[in-house]
Amino acid sequence: MIKNKWGRVPLVLLGFALFNTACAQNPPLTGQAFIAEERLVGNSTVLLNNASYLVPLQKLEDLKIASVHFNNQYAAVFDSLLNKYNKVDLFDGNTYSGNKTLANLTSDLKFYNTIIVQVNDADLSNPDVIDFISTNQKNKNIIVAAFGSGSLLSKLDVITAPVIWTERVSGVSAMYSAEAIFGGVSISQKLSKNYSAVYKTGMGFTTEKTRLQYTVPEEAGINAANLQGIDKIAQEAIREHATPGCVVLVAKDGKVIFNKAYGYHTYDNVIPDKLTDIFDLASMTKVSATTMETMQLTDQGKLSLEKTLGDYIPLARKSNKNDIRIREVLLHQAGLIPDIQSFEKVKPTDHSTDSSAAYPTKVSDHYYLRKDYYKDVMLPDMLNSPLKTRGQYVYSDVSMLFMQEVVENITAVPLNIYVQQHFYTPLGMQTAGFLPLYRFTPDRIIPTENDKEYRMSLLDGYVHDPTAALLGGVAGHAGLFGSANDVAILYQMVLNKGSYGGAQYFKPEVVDLFTSKQSPVSRRGLGFDRWDPIAERHYPSKLASDQAFGHTGFTGTCIWVDPKYNLVYVFLSNRVNPSVSSKLGSLNIRPRIQDVVYEAITKGL
């Protein structure tokens, strides 16, 4: 694969600065200047040849996408934004010269079904570029992103593939066009005059915004200066050793207006935290995996909240769990114990340092659990556990372990595979999933605890939760990993009442049911945690509305959605590294950052 090769360093730096405009809030212009340019870009961007409705892209799970640039000076910006929405591989067309031609590029692109081609006036003066586009549009999805004067349209007369054209040539126009391809922004303009025999006055297709946009706070009516308090609180957390690092993301009105990484993977300050880093989401798994599948199965009529564990789990029928309703389980009111014994119950003969048919379950490096340990030990422990608090709210990991059994018995598909196929991949979530080491190198994954008692290693890519670890890393209550951007995508879909990217994942009324207060004895929704009406608790923060729902994670993570403010707030950290610390909680880092966001919204511009 040919990667981008940037010949001129200043362009790289400019591209990086502009990319930060969208993602890390360090723009080279003030927010209002950015918005002014964006408005000019929006008023000059036209979508042509879109009768097949290829733009914005849908069904991402079916697409293998490449981006080709030639002389677009803002290719770094454009490609960075594309990769916010889906994995897009990058090719520099200028490297195909001399002995290698654009025919070689076509050959190298044979396993891609969707190709995005960036062109400007200079590129289209080369007939080989036109021929490259014309040849590939015959059997692939081609989208042309054209930047420059209207005269370039006459050179595209032979092109039948969708063309997104803007006469503005800037970092902002590169961002806008990339976002438009995925529905991060809408397109509404039409040609104002005749540009060629093909492209004439009044031509142009309109699109709707269907996915997140990446922009500056001012775009959502917030003064960027009023978010600077986030920096101070995050730096305090690192300085006080509440966590080695963290990533904060804020999306308002469907727009990511703040996304910044702080600190390092560990306190040795070797690997800085990055926006794309993958965190152990811990109990966020409960809502981000198990509850999502439960919602979808409820929407499809395959699961009923009024049925019992015995209806879905045959082994539960002869236990005291038989008549527990699914609603009780999701509310943590089933009387289930908080957790079962984990490593302390494992016998020396139950595990090995090497994998084999007898010891197939990988718990961590050099720790393999014997076959059927879950069936022989853990599941019976769950089924035989006492019910002492039924009807009361007692937070329980066992509840979501039972929900994993329920949904897997309904679908005959493992939890991790179901949510990957039905949510994460279609949504364009590139890192989210269980068992991250099967897909990513450890340097992309934030390490958690240095387990000196049982696993005897730094947990990097292996789930921190001990019960989930003994299940091989896939559990209903823990085991999910992901980046802040992925979490934001998933919960923007929920905030959108189940809709994202042109697809409906469940009906709005299902979202309303699960995320609203459903318990007379606690603040909980179904699966979801919610705003606490006891004022002195300030949960999830002092200024959150009574509509807020989400969940926290033991590793130092949280997701909170506040429909009143059209807000998604993500905080990811590894506060358990190198060992469990309570400082993140005692310093109120997560809620204080959340309150900075609310205060900024209230102050406005």
Side-chain angles (χ1 to χ4, degrees):
M1 181 187 303
I2 303 299
K3 298 286 186 181
N4 286 342
K5 297 180 180 178
W6 306 104
R8 291 167 286 183
V9 172
L11 290 183
V12 179
L13 296 179
L14 178 59
F16 181 73
L18 284 166
F19 175 52
N20 277 350
T21 299
C23 304
Q25 314 315 303
N26 185 28
L29 305 172
T30 64
Q32 291 300 333
F34 181 94
I35 290 173
E37 171 63 16
E38 186 180 57
R39 188 174 296 115
L40 292 172
V41 170
N43 289 335
S44 74
T45 301
V46 182
L47 172 61
L48 304 162
N49 302 342
N50 198 43
S52 63
Y53 301 105
L54 179 61
V55 177
L57 290 171
Q58 299 186 54
K59 295 187 178 298
L60 300 183
E61 66 271 25
D62 297 332
L63 304 183
K64 175 78 169 163
I65 308 173
S67 174
V68 176
H69 78 274
F70 296 94
N71 296 298
N72 176 17
Q73 67 189 95
Y74 298 106
V77 185
F78 184 89
D79 288 331
S80 294
L81 264 292
L82 291 181
N83 273 284
K84 285 287 184 180
Y85 296 99
N86 205 43
K87 185 177 188 298
V88 178
D89 292 328
L90 314 179
F91 291 79
D92 182 352
N94 290 322
T95 62
Y96 291 85
S97 58
N99 291 332
K100 296 184 71 175
T101 67
L102 291 183
N104 295 107
L105 175 55
T106 296
S107 178
D108 287 346
L109 292 167
K110 69 179 179 180
F111 291 121
Y112 295 87
N113 57 21
T114 304
I115 303 173
I116 300 165
V117 186
Q118 307 164 52
V119 294
N120 57 22
D121 290 281
D123 297 331
L124 295 178
S125 296
N126 180 355
D128 289 341
V129 172
I130 301 291
D131 182 65
F132 168 77
I133 299 171
S134 181
T135 298
N136 281 283
Q137 72 181 5
K138 295 174 183 176
N139 57 7
K140 294 180 183 291
N141 296 324
I142 301 293
I143 299 172
V144 178
F147 304 90
S149 67
S151 61
L152 61 72
L153 287 178
S154 63
K155 301 171 185 176
L156 292 170
D157 276 356
V158 298
I159 302 305
T160 58
V163 174
I164 298 177
W165 167 65
T166 177
E167 60 186 356
R168 307 290 297 184
V169 181
S170 67
V172 176
S173 69
M175 292 171 57
Y176 197 91
S177 293
E179 291 173 316
I181 288 171
F182 284 96
V185 294
S186 62
I187 298 178
S188 60
Q189 301 301 305
K190 301 190 183 288
L191 295 179
S192 59
K193 63 180 182 181
N194 294 340
Y195 286 93
S196 73
V198 173
Y199 300 117
K200 299 181 178 181
T201 304
M203 293 184 67
F205 290 81
T206 61
T207 65
E208 294 183 356
K209 172 178 162 58
T210 61
R211 293 188 175 95
L212 284 169
Q213 179 185 0
Y214 298 85
T215 185
V216 293
E218 286 76 8
E219 181 82 39
I222 294 174
N223 188 326
N226 292 332
L227 293 173
Q228 291 176 354
I230 296 175
D231 292 348
K232 295 178 182 179
I233 298 170
Q235 289 158 2
E236 175 191 343
I238 294 164
R239 184 175 63 251
E240 296 294 326
H241 277 212
T243 180
C246 61
V247 174
V248 180
L249 184 148
V250 178
K252 177 161 175 30
D253 302 334
K255 303 165 184 177
V256 175
I257 59 168
F258 191 97
N259 190 11
K260 203 164 184 180
Y262 303 88
Y264 294 82
H265 283 205
T266 59
Y267 288 113
D268 59 13
N269 295 358
V270 174
I271 305 176
D273 275 22
K274 298 184 293 296
L275 301 182
T276 53
D277 279 341
I278 302 164
F279 288 77
D280 181 337
L281 301 179
S283 281
M284 282 173 59
T285 304
K286 292 180 172 73
V287 288
S288 306
T290 314
T291 300
M292 291 290 166
E293 181 172 353
T294 301
M295 291 168 73
Q296 193 167 76
L297 295 175
T298 301
D299 181 56
Q300 295 168 351
K302 297 177 181 177
L303 184 151
S304 169
L305 299 176
E306 307 312 320
K307 287 193 174 182
T308 68
L309 288 181
D311 288 324
Y312 296 110
I313 306 173
L315 289 173
R317 291 169 192 165
K318 293 185 178 180
S319 77
N320 59 0
K321 314 298 185 301
N322 177 53
D323 67 343
I324 293 175
R325 290 183 301 150
I326 300 302
R327 179 184 293 275
E328 294 178 89
V329 178
L330 292 169
L331 290 173
H332 297 274
Q333 291 176 200
L336 298 168
I337 60 175
D339 202 357
I340 56 173
Q341 284 188 299
S342 57
F343 282 101
E344 63 271 22
K345 190 169 184 177
V346 177
K347 300 174 182 177
T349 54
D350 289 331
H351 65 99
S352 169
T353 56
D354 294 313
S355 65
S356 64
Y359 295 91
T361 304
K362 189 170 188 179
V363 174
S364 62
D365 289 334
H366 311 300
Y367 193 118
Y368 294 85
L369 202 60
R370 71 168 172 84
K371 184 179 180 181
D372 291 335
Y373 183 83
Y374 170 71
K375 292 180 181 179
D376 295 343
V377 179
M378 300 176 76
L379 183 55
D381 281 356
M382 291 161 52
L383 291 168
N384 296 327
S385 62
L387 296 176
K388 296 181 178 179
T389 58
R390 191 168 180 181
Q392 302 173 38
Y393 168 65
V394 176
Y395 183 75
S396 169
D397 286 351
V398 175
S399 67
M400 285 300 174
L401 287 169
F402 274 123
M403 284 309 304
Q404 179 184 3
E405 285 287 330
V406 168
V407 297
E408 289 181 343
N409 279 332
I410 292 172
T411 64
V413 178
L415 172 68
N416 58 317
I417 295 174
Y418 184 97
V419 292
Q420 196 76 53
Q421 293 177 344
H422 288 79
F423 293 102
Y424 309 151
T425 301
L427 284 164
M429 298 165 66
Q430 297 171 58
T431 62
F434 294 81
L435 307 174
L437 288 173
Y438 286 96
R439 296 175 292 137
F440 304 101
T441 55
D443 63 300
R444 290 200 57 188
I445 307 170
I446 302 288
T448 55
E449 190 171 4
N450 186 1
D451 184 352
K452 296 181 178 180
E453 186 171 4
Y454 296 110
R455 287 170 275 187
M456 303 301 174
S457 63
L458 177 66
L459 303 175
D460 194 357
Y462 296 105
V463 63
H464 176 263
D465 182 88
T467 305
L470 293 179
L471 268 77
V474 179
H477 70 290
L480 184 64
F481 286 72
S483 67
N485 189 62
D486 281 352
V487 174
I489 288 171
L490 183 65
Y491 286 93
Q492 186 63 46
M493 178 271 286
V494 178
L495 182 56
N496 292 349
K497 304 291 187 182
S499 174
Y500 194 84
Q504 192 75 34
Y505 291 85
F506 18 69
K507 295 183 186 72
E509 50 265 37
V510 172
V511 176
D512 292 341
L513 173 66
F514 276 72
T515 60
S516 60
K517 179 174 166 60
Q518 292 292 315
S519 171
V521 300
S522 82
R523 63 180 183 244
R524 306 288 298 203
L526 295 168
F528 287 94
D529 199 358
R530 297 190 76 262
W531 170 83
D532 197 317
I534 300 176
E536 55 266 29
R537 291 181 180 170
H538 303 306
Y539 187 83
S541 73
K542 289 181 181 179
L543 302 177
S545 85
D546 59 1
Q547 299 176 29
F549 63 86
H551 216 283
T552 58
F554 185 80
T555 49
T557 62
C558 74
I559 169 65
W560 288 102
V561 178
D562 197 331
K564 179 179 178 179
Y565 295 94
N566 209 8
L567 182 69
V568 175
Y569 163 60
V570 183
F571 180 94
L572 303 182
S573 78
N574 57 330
R575 64 115 185 168
V576 296
N577 175 270
S579 58
V580 176
S581 164
S582 62
K583 280 192 174 181
L584 194 77
S586 62
L587 293 172
N588 291 318
I589 298 299
R590 288 171 285 191
R592 285 168 58 203
I593 289 176
Q594 192 171 354
D595 279 332
V596 170
V597 177
Y598 285 116
E599 290 166 357
I601 292 172
T602 302
K603 291 175 183 176
L605 292 171

